[in-house]
Amino acid sequence: MDRESAKEHPVGHNQAHLELIGFYEFSLRYPETIPSAYCHHNYHITADTRTRIHELGLDHMVKELDIKLLKGLKKFGPPAYMEKDKNKPLEYWWWHLDKIATKEYPAELLPEHLREIYESL
C-alpha cells in the first residue's frame, strides 16, 4: 500500500491495519455455530490474517483477540489442518492450534498473555 492511499488513524495506524484486525476479530465470532477460525474450510484465512498482523508488528493490538482464539478451542476445538500447513514455524503459534489444544505445543513459545489459558485447556 502506498502512502497516499493509506488514511492514517488518530493513533497512528492506517485504515488497512484496522481492517485487517477487524477481519481477524470477525473470524473469531462468525458464523456463530463454528467461527471461521475453527472451521477446517476457513481457518487458513484467519491464520494468514494473523500472520500478516504479526509481520506488520501489530501483535500488541490483538492480545485480547488472541486470548479469545485460544479460549474458543475449549468450545469449538482446533481446525483440521492440511498437511502443508503443519510446516509453519512454531513461533507462528496460530498455525498450531491442534498442538495447543492437545498441549503438545511448547508453552515457552507462546506469548506470556496466552500461557495461562494454555495451561487451562
Side-chain angles (χ1 to χ4, degrees), residues 43 47-48 51 81-99 105:
Y43 75 88
D48 282 339
T51 298
Y81 289 96
M82 298 174 72
E83 195 60 39
K84 66 180 175 125
D85 296 330
K86 291 183 179 185
N87 296 324
K88 302 292 183 182
L90 283 176
E91 291 75 20
Y92 286 36
W93 59 265
W94 50 91
W95 283 102
H96 303 281
L97 297 178
D98 56 338
K99 290 182 179 112
Y105 187 84

Side-chain angles (χ1 to χ4, degrees), residues 8-109:
E8 289 299 321
H9 185 270
V11 295
H13 295 285
N14 69 40
Q15 187 64 32
H17 293 173
L18 298 175
E19 288 173 7
L20 193 64
I21 291 167
F23 182 80
Y24 180 42
E25 187 275 330
F26 181 77
S27 75
L28 296 175
R29 64 177 168 82
Y30 185 83
E32 289 180 21
T33 52
I34 182 162
S36 294
Y38 309 98
C39 174
H40 70 279
H41 293 293
N42 298 326
Y43 75 88
H44 60 88
I45 299 168
T46 301
D48 282 339
T49 300
R50 184 61 183 84
T51 298
R52 186 75 180 124
I53 289 167
H54 175 72
E55 290 170 348
L56 289 168
L58 303 174
D59 292 338
H60 65 284
M61 293 183 68
V62 296
K63 285 182 178 182
E64 291 300 316
L65 296 176
D66 289 345
I67 289 168
K68 185 175 181 177
L69 177 62
L70 257 57
K71 285 184 175 180
L73 290 174
K74 288 181 182 180
K75 181 175 181 180
F76 302 109
Y81 289 96
M82 298 174 72
E83 195 60 39
K84 66 180 175 125
D85 296 330
K86 291 183 179 185
N87 296 324
K88 302 292 183 182
L90 283 176
E91 291 75 20
Y92 286 36
W93 59 265
W94 50 91
W95 283 102
H96 303 281
L97 297 178
D98 56 338
K99 290 182 179 112
I100 291 171
T102 60
K103 291 193 166 181
E104 296 173 46
Y105 187 84
E108 65 274 6
L109 293 180

